[in-house]
Amino acid sequence: MSTVEPDRLRAVDLAATVGISVQQVRNYVDLGVLPPVARTPAGYRIFTAAHARALTVARRFAEGHGWSRTREVMAAVHRGDLPAALAALDGGHAELDRERAEIRRVLGAFETVVASPAVAVPAPRRGVRIGAVADLVGVRTSQLRLWEARGLLRPVREPGTGYRVYDAAELRAAQVVTLLRRGAYPWEIVAAVLDELRTTGSAQRVRAELARREQDLHRRSLRRLRASAALYDYLRERGEAPPG
């Protein structure tokens, strides 16, 4: 016959409800993910339905926000610091907003590039030297060297002379940088567009990849919304949020 009181749970029972180890339950208590626990005269932790509820909420919250933010938010709730919990929650949603804006900016920059015809490429067998590239895209050679130093351009060196030479792909990259900088796009957007072009190799693939990222962002946003709803219900049950 069990000696556990009806409202009490053993650590092993609590762990089994979500499929984790007893040690993880203890860690969650120490980290504040679960509410503080009382102890028996013999020193055993006393878990209740409130701890089971907190564990369920934490697992749902982690699905949307990850465990790092989950620990931060749940610990703030359990120490009574609701403003800190809400600030951390808002930070998670703000991250998605910034990521969404980044995708839109990269896509806009990419469309600027696609709408511009590629420069005519001379046909020397060993590529185009830096002076000719500067003339073709309309910038100084010093700017091309700066963009190379930033990792945006990757010309090779001509054997024997050491001169920079650009093949057709790098000439197009120089044009892309020129177009986007004239459009006042920041360096990180320029780098993102170039990375996409170099990785995917075609306009269609870039569009498809950006669309895939946007759909993934939508799914993550919905998971965070569900996580936030679970947290709100938990706060309401604790009397820390108004009903309805």
Side-chain angles (χ1 to χ4, degrees):
M1 181 176 177
S2 174
T3 59
V4 179
E5 296 180 14
D7 190 43
R8 290 189 184 182
L9 294 171
R10 298 174 301 171
V12 65
D13 298 324
L14 188 61
T17 62
V18 292
I20 61 175
S21 69
V22 170
Q23 184 58 51
Q24 281 178 293
V25 171
R26 297 189 184 113
N27 293 342
Y28 289 166
V29 172
D30 294 340
L31 291 169
V33 173
L34 299 183
V37 295
R39 289 183 180 266
T40 67
Y44 293 107
R45 292 179 173 89
I46 300 173
F47 295 101
T48 67
H51 294 94
R53 174 64 175 140
L55 184 56
T56 300
V57 171
R59 301 286 287 189
R60 172 58 58 83
F61 197 83
E63 290 172 3
H65 291 270
W67 273 109
S68 177
R69 180 161 283 109
T70 297
R71 288 192 293 268
E72 182 181 4
V73 169
M74 297 298 285
V77 168
H78 292 142
R79 68 172 180 266
D81 191 353
L82 184 58
L86 295 176
L89 177 65
D90 290 344
H93 289 290
E95 286 176 0
L96 290 186
D97 183 61
R98 287 192 295 270
E99 195 170 338
R100 196 182 303 278
E102 177 84 358
I103 290 175
R104 286 197 300 267
R105 293 176 75 187
V106 171
L107 186 57
F110 176 72
E111 295 300 337
T112 297
V113 171
V114 170
S116 175
V119 294
V121 182
R125 289 175 306 199
R126 290 180 298 216
V128 186
R129 288 186 176 179
I130 189 170
V133 173
D135 291 339
L136 286 166
V137 300
V139 299
R140 296 187 179 92
T141 57
S142 59
Q143 286 180 289
L144 294 175
R145 293 190 183 95
L146 172 63
W147 297 342
E148 180 184 350
R150 285 182 172 272
L152 300 172
L153 300 180
R154 306 168 186 173
V156 298
R157 297 283 181 163
E158 190 176 66
T161 66
Y163 290 130
R164 293 173 174 84
V165 290
Y166 296 71
D167 61 13
E170 285 307 301
L171 179 55
R172 179 58 171 163
Q175 184 191 24
V176 168
V177 179
T178 302
L179 286 168
L180 297 184
R181 288 303 289 166
R182 285 175 180 165
Y185 285 98
W187 292 113
E188 60 269 20
I189 297 298
V190 177
V193 171
L194 285 176
D195 286 345
E196 291 291 350
L197 288 170
R198 285 188 168 115
T199 300
T200 61
S202 73
Q204 292 78 8
R205 289 181 180 177
V206 170
R207 286 193 180 97
E209 172 61 16
L210 290 172
R212 184 196 66 77
R213 291 185 192 179
E214 195 166 33
Q215 287 302 312
D216 178 66
L217 189 61
H218 293 338
R219 287 190 290 270
R220 288 162 55 202
S221 184
L222 287 172
R223 285 198 298 269
R224 291 196 180 184
L225 181 62
R226 184 173 61 181
S228 297
L231 179 65
Y232 183 85
D233 288 343
Y234 183 63
L235 292 173
R236 187 177 57 188
E237 292 166 8
R238 290 170 56 88
E240 297 178 39

